[in-house]
Structure formats: C-alpha cells, structure tokens
Amino acid sequence: MGGHSNWPEWIYVAVVIALMTWVGAEAWEAERLVEHVPADAETIIVTGQQWFWTFEHEDGTKEIGELHVEVGKAYKFEVMSKDVNHSFNIHDYVVLMDAIPGRVNTVWFAPDAVGEHDIQCREYCGLIHYNMRGTLYVEEPSH
C-alpha cells in the first residue's frame, strides 16, 4: 500500500495563509495611518468644481489653483465638491481622495521637503477635466 503524501498541498495552504495574513496586516496599518490624523494638523478645506480647486485655510485665507503649505507640518484636507464628482490628487505624496457633492471626505499628509508638486483631478469631470490642475508649494516655515 503506497502512501500518498499531502505535504505539497499543506505547504501551499500554509504559504497562502501566511501571505493573506501579511497583506491583511499591511492593509490594517495603511488604514490606521489614514484614519489617525495628528491632533495638531491644520485643516484645509479643499473644494473641487468645474474646473478648478479652491483651498481655504483655517485663518480664512483662500487660494485658487495653488496651495501653499509649510514643510514639517501636518495638514488635514476636508475634500468636497460643488458640482460633480472630482478626485483630489497630489501624486508625489500619494494623496488621493474623492470630492463628492454633499459629502466631506478627509485625508491628511505632512510634507517632508521643500518643493513644488502637481495637484490634479483624477476623476473625469467634464469637458475641461484635463485642465483641472493646481500646484502645491511646500515652503520653509515662516516663523
């Protein structure tokens, strides 16, 4: 009576379980980072509308098409839309959040280097969607 070994199947099952556990842990960590906005983060209201971005700082200062922030500070974006669905994206900082009429979505980031970065809409929002761009200016602290 020759025995049939199940070792290859058990190894395969163990590898699959290990990979699923690792992927789940990584996803949980990413979710934790997104959800836990630092307490000292400055809130910036980001409003998308055909076909530009408006940024309102906590002190009431408004910017259109460009956003000035300081290196080393945390910022919480409250993202919304005035008309159709948009998607707020700062590719260099892996910031991507839907802007949907009637809803406020939150995402945060903390720029770590001085520089200029593209802001764009990643959701087709109409005829001039390709031109819905802006610039993020990360600057040295002013004080």
Side-chain angles (χ1 to χ4, degrees), residues 63-140:
E63 299 183 86
I64 297 174
E66 55 185 50
L67 174 61
H68 292 80
V69 298
E70 295 179 353
V71 69
K73 287 179 67 175
Y75 295 90
K76 176 177 84 170
F77 297 124
E78 292 184 350
V79 183
M80 60 192 75
S81 171
K82 281 192 174 180
D83 44 33
V84 299
N85 291 355
H86 300 282
S87 190
F88 177 65
N89 178 232
I90 306 171
H91 179 78
D92 294 346
Y93 280 101
V94 196
V95 170
L96 179 64
M97 182 55 63
D98 289 337
I100 298 171
R103 186 191 302 169
V104 176
N105 290 325
T106 303
V107 64
W108 71 276
F109 89 126
D112 57 2
V114 171
E116 290 183 20
H117 308 276
D118 291 332
I119 298 171
Q120 59 188 353
C121 180
R122 294 292 299 246
E123 177 82 27
Y124 180 75
C125 58
L127 190 60
I128 312 177
H129 160 75
Y130 67 89
N131 207 33
M132 189 168 172
R133 300 181 171 275
T135 304
L136 170 70
Y137 297 95
V138 180
E139 303 166 338
E140 292 291 345

Side-chain angles (χ1 to χ4, degrees), residues 29-38 106 108:
E29 177 66 10
E31 184 74 15
R32 187 190 66 78
L33 290 174
V34 168
E35 294 294 321
H36 290 73
V37 178
T106 303
W108 71 276

